[in-house]
Amino acid sequence: MSVFLSSILPPLGLYTLISRFLLKNPHYLHRKKKTAFYCIQISHRGGSGEKIENTMEAFTNAVENGSQMLEMDCHLTKDGHVVVSHDENLKRQTGMDKDISSLNLEELPLYKERLEVEFNAGHENKSGTDRKIALLEDVFRKFPKIPVSIEIKVDNPQLMREVSALVKRYDRESITLWASEDAKILNKCRSVNGSMPYSFSKQRGVLLLLLYYTGLLPFVPVGESVLQFYLPRIINRTYKPEKPEILKKSWVVSLIDKITMRTNLFKHLAERGIQVHLFVCNKNEDIKAAFDLGATGVMTDYPTLLSTYVKTHVGVVDPDSSSTPEEEHQRLKQT
């Protein structure tokens, strides 16, 4: 046994030291990833706590109140139009129990006047007169310079091709992010357009954690540009998931929090140029917790709330200033 330990412990100890050093200093092995966007303030569904989710009015309100990225989901109508909607089935949003894919654009119903904010249980959008389901093309046309995160939830190659075609038409491949929890769907998106940056899928997120805990992460190349993940502390407080049932157990949420919310992991990713967006933070205490953990960006349903927090802790960012959003984020972490 002593011979075994003497032969194993020294190389294991050396490996551990090298891994920890490279975790803090990844530039020795990896060139820092450069993206055309660096976003501190991200609006979830366009800011569904202030206006009706995913409408042009919501997106406009978000951008006017400081949002640097718009997060949305897209689906394809029967006649081939890409529309912005979180759900494929329209019952929750409109009352009509129909899938978007079964309807032509002109047949799409209006949103309900009031929708519950999914990540702020018991609260509805504060106001909003725009009830029309938005076209992705209208978003691109109105906000040509605003980065957009597009989540693809359904395995529909035509949808992926249409999204890619719009991205190319409006010359925004560098500022439009592929996103999907499903690795299979995300890989198909990338095969359609590999020039667009992409986020971690759920499967790749699990692999990221395994690499981190085994010490292998500093040695492994990472293609993703953004990690988007829940801030676990909101689960069963502002966000009450119906499924899976196991998330209703407090010890499970606490375990997820301890495993995933690792400041040195987020710092390592940021040092490699991989942005970390935590969501959905709808209270000041959660925004603060996200930034304290090392998030480079925060996603919210309340863009005005987030903008006020950032202005209070960072100050107003002058668009003509030489200070970059990344530098402003460093200032935020120091306050």
Side-chain angles (χ1 to χ4, degrees):
M1 177 64 74
S2 60
V3 174
F4 174 77
L5 291 177
S6 63
S7 61
I8 292 297
L9 288 181
L12 182 60
L14 180 61
Y15 166 75
T16 301
L17 289 174
I18 294 173
S19 176
R20 288 184 176 181
F21 175 80
L22 292 175
L23 188 72
K24 294 181 179 180
N25 303 278
H27 59 275
Y28 282 103
L29 287 184
H30 305 283
R31 180 178 298 177
K32 190 170 185 178
K33 189 185 297 289
K34 299 292 184 182
T35 56
F37 60 89
Y38 188 94
C39 304
I40 298 173
Q41 302 177 60
I42 305 113
S43 286
H44 181 245
R45 304 185 196 177
S48 62
E50 297 181 6
K51 303 293 179 181
I52 297 173
E53 66 180 52
N54 289 320
T55 58
M56 291 303 297
E57 183 180 33
F59 297 134
T60 300
N61 176 71
V63 172
E64 289 178 348
N65 284 284
S67 290
Q68 299 159 324
M69 172 178 269
L70 301 172
E71 184 276 340
M72 63 191 68
D73 310 83
C74 288
H75 297 276
L76 196 68
T77 64
K78 186 178 179 180
D79 52 349
H81 293 276
V82 181
V83 295
V84 183
S85 171
H86 180 268
D87 303 347
E88 161 72 354
N89 184 277
L90 292 168
K91 186 174 183 179
R92 175 188 68 87
Q93 299 156 285
T94 71
M96 178 187 285
D97 190 8
K98 294 278 190 180
D99 288 347
I100 290 174
S101 58
S102 70
L103 299 171
N104 292 326
L105 180 64
E106 62 182 18
E107 297 174 315
L108 294 178
L110 297 175
Y111 283 119
K112 296 175 182 177
E113 291 185 1
R114 292 282 181 177
L115 288 176
E116 184 179 42
V117 182
E118 184 176 0
F119 287 85
N120 195 8
H123 295 78
E124 296 179 332
N125 54 286
K126 294 180 180 179
S127 63
T129 57
D130 182 5
R131 297 167 57 198
K132 185 178 179 181
I133 295 175
L135 285 163
L136 179 62
E137 184 169 11
D138 288 342
V139 177
F140 286 174
R141 186 182 294 115
K142 185 163 186 178
F143 307 108
K145 304 298 182 183
I146 297 294
V148 172
S149 173
I150 298 177
E151 182 169 355
I152 304 295
K153 285 184 161 66
V154 295
D155 188 353
N156 185 337
Q158 185 185 354
L159 169 62
M160 301 169 196
R161 289 193 296 269
E162 293 295 336
V163 169
S164 175
L166 286 170
V167 168
K168 290 179 179 179
R169 185 183 309 165
Y170 287 89
D171 191 26
R172 48 178 300 124
E173 284 181 297
S174 64
I175 59 170
T176 307
L177 183 77
W178 284 126
S180 182
E181 290 187 359
D182 190 307
K184 180 181 176 182
I185 292 175
L186 191 56
N187 287 337
K188 288 185 178 181
C189 290
R190 292 178 56 208
S191 68
V192 170
N193 191 329
S195 298
M196 292 167 57
Y198 59 99
S199 65
F200 282 84
S201 65
K202 184 184 294 184
Q203 294 91 327
R204 285 280 297 173
V206 171
L207 177 60
L208 176 72
L209 288 173
L210 289 174
L211 292 173
Y212 167 70
Y213 280 107
T214 57
L216 289 169
L217 180 58
F219 305 98
V220 177
V222 177
E224 290 85 353
S225 295
V226 177
L227 172 66
Q228 296 178 338
F229 195 74
Y230 290 98
L231 181 69
R233 60 182 282 161
I234 71 170
I235 299 174
N236 298 318
R237 187 167 53 80
T238 60
Y239 172 51
K240 298 181 180 180
E242 294 182 4
K243 294 181 180 179
E245 289 286 333
I246 196 170
L247 284 180
K248 295 181 180 180
K249 300 181 182 297
S250 59
W251 69 267
V252 173
V253 176
S254 178
L255 180 62
I256 292 172
D257 184 84
K258 291 185 185 317
I259 291 173
T260 61
M261 297 295 103
R262 311 302 300 183
T263 301
N264 55 356
L265 169 60
F266 295 160
K267 185 176 180 181
H268 174 81
L269 293 175
E271 289 292 329
R272 290 175 66 166
I274 301 167
Q275 297 174 55
V276 178
H277 298 166
L278 295 182
F279 63 89
V280 173
C281 303
N282 290 330
K283 294 184 180 297
N284 279 328
E285 62 194 83
D286 298 327
I287 296 171
K288 181 180 185 302
F291 282 128
D292 286 349
L293 283 165
T296 61
V298 167
M299 196 182 299
T300 185
D301 288 309
Y302 297 89
T304 304
L305 175 75
L306 178 57
S307 180
T308 300
Y309 182 92
V310 170
K311 288 177 181 178
T312 301
H313 292 78
V314 181
V316 179
V317 179
D318 181 359
D320 297 322
S321 169
S322 59
S323 178
T324 66
E326 187 170 7
E327 291 168 340
E328 291 297 334
H329 178 257
Q330 294 302 317
R331 288 177 53 201
L332 176 61
K333 291 197 297 183
Q334 294 170 4
T335 60

